[in-house]
Amino acid sequence: ATAGLRPIVEVMFNDFLWLVGDQLFNGAAKLRFLSAGQHSCKLTVRTVIGGGGRAGIHHSQVLYSLATHVPGVKVVVPSTPFDAKGVLISAIRDDDPVLVFEHKLLYGFTGEVPEDSYVVPIGKAKIRKQGTDVTVVAISLMVHRAEEAALELEEKGISVELIDPISLSPLDEDTILSSVAKTGHLVIVDESNPRCSMATDIAALVADKAIDYLDGPIKMVTAPHSPVPFSPPLEDAYLPNKADIIKAVMQSLM
């Protein structure tokens, strides 16, 4: 990665990032800064996140907030086949290290993917659904859970604007803030544990920069602050679902 090549590394589960943390977060992430911009680490790391696969406590975590905390690495979390290919190509072409977090339950999803090369830009969110009443920012698999909730909320007369960040670092702040300025309400859906998470980061961003637009409390839908259970019924209860999102939206609109 420092000698003219662009290697792609697969870390089978993101739970194992602790084992490569020194090389990745103290080495690759800091090379550009240590060399005053003269050198960079052109590295792409693919890794798997998420519960719901009955994979147990050591193979089901969601740790993208850990990587997002470190300056010098870029972090992306595609939620569709189209974005998965496009953002991976962007990651490979990027001159800085990029971590691509892929949810294991998304591997069964299908969608239109062009055979030709194309890019999905790093740092630009997508508005999956236009709406007027509440902004929902959802990450990775939770985009699809939020889509299910949005359809049910539409039947209740509630219009949801759904934002898929795709990139967590850099984060497309403008798209989120503009949406909140329009709707006046915010719900963040993030499968990771709640403390020091992307949900809390986005909530703090909006509280800091868009507080005057808010007409209700910011609500977060996350996993509990505990490890992922192995018991199937407990794992199902642990993971955010459609009902959780609908409840949070209703609380935001109160």
Side-chain angles (χ1 to χ4, degrees):
T2 60
L5 300 179
R6 294 179 180 270
I8 305 169
V9 175
E10 180 193 2
V11 178
M12 185 179 293
F13 294 98
N14 81 149
D15 312 68
F16 305 156
L17 286 179
W18 304 106
L19 303 175
V20 298
D22 184 42
Q23 296 93 331
L24 186 57
F25 299 128
N26 282 330
K30 294 179 171 56
L31 185 59
R32 182 182 290 280
F33 300 93
L34 289 170
S35 66
Q38 297 180 71
H39 303 286
S40 64
C41 188
K42 303 173 181 63
L43 173 68
T44 298
V45 178
R46 293 179 60 204
T47 191
V48 173
I49 62 173
R54 314 310 189 208
I57 198 169
H58 294 113
H59 302 82
S60 303
Q61 296 177 87
V62 177
L63 297 176
Y64 41 63
S65 57
L66 170 72
T68 303
H69 180 76
V70 179
V73 296
K74 296 176 180 177
V75 179
V76 296
V77 282
S79 68
T80 68
F82 179 89
D83 290 341
K85 176 179 175 179
V87 84
L88 179 61
I89 293 172
S90 291
I92 294 167
R93 295 178 180 177
D94 200 284
D95 287 341
D96 288 308
V98 182
L99 278 75
V100 183
F101 289 84
E102 302 167 358
H103 201 291
K104 61 171 67 72
L105 295 191
L106 289 175
Y107 288 146
F109 280 59
T110 60
E112 292 292 329
V113 178
E115 292 187 7
D116 296 336
S117 180
Y118 64 93
V119 297
V120 171
I122 295 174
K124 182 61 179 174
K126 287 186 178 180
I127 300 177
R128 297 292 180 192
K129 179 184 176 301
Q130 297 281 349
T132 57
D133 294 329
V134 58
T135 299
V136 175
V137 180
I139 300 171
S140 188
L141 177 68
M142 294 298 111
V143 172
H144 302 278
R145 299 290 180 265
E147 286 177 334
E148 296 168 1
L151 289 175
E152 188 165 325
L153 287 163
E154 290 284 352
E155 297 175 358
K156 303 177 184 292
I158 298 170
S159 176
V160 173
E161 179 145 295
L162 177 57
I163 296 177
D164 179 354
I166 302 174
S167 172
L168 301 182
S169 183
L171 179 68
D172 184 357
E173 298 183 5
D174 291 342
T175 295
I176 296 172
L177 295 172
S178 296
S179 179
V180 171
K182 177 173 69 172
T183 67
H185 299 273
L186 175 64
V187 173
I188 308 132
V189 191
D190 175 9
E191 187 182 325
S192 65
N193 304 117
R195 300 302 306 276
C196 303
S197 65
M198 283 308 304
T200 57
D201 187 68
I202 294 169
L205 165 72
V206 172
D208 180 45
K209 296 186 177 181
I211 189 70
D212 292 336
Y213 297 110
L214 287 171
D215 295 321
I218 298 172
K219 303 302 294 184
M220 299 186 300
V221 182
T222 70
H225 196 61
S226 69
V228 184
F230 182 66
S231 160
L234 289 178
E235 185 177 22
D236 291 341
Y238 173 93
L239 297 171
N241 58 38
K242 179 180 72 172
D244 296 330
I245 299 169
I246 291 173
K247 180 180 178 181
V249 168
M250 300 306 292
Q251 290 174 338
S252 174
L253 293 173
M254 290 178 62

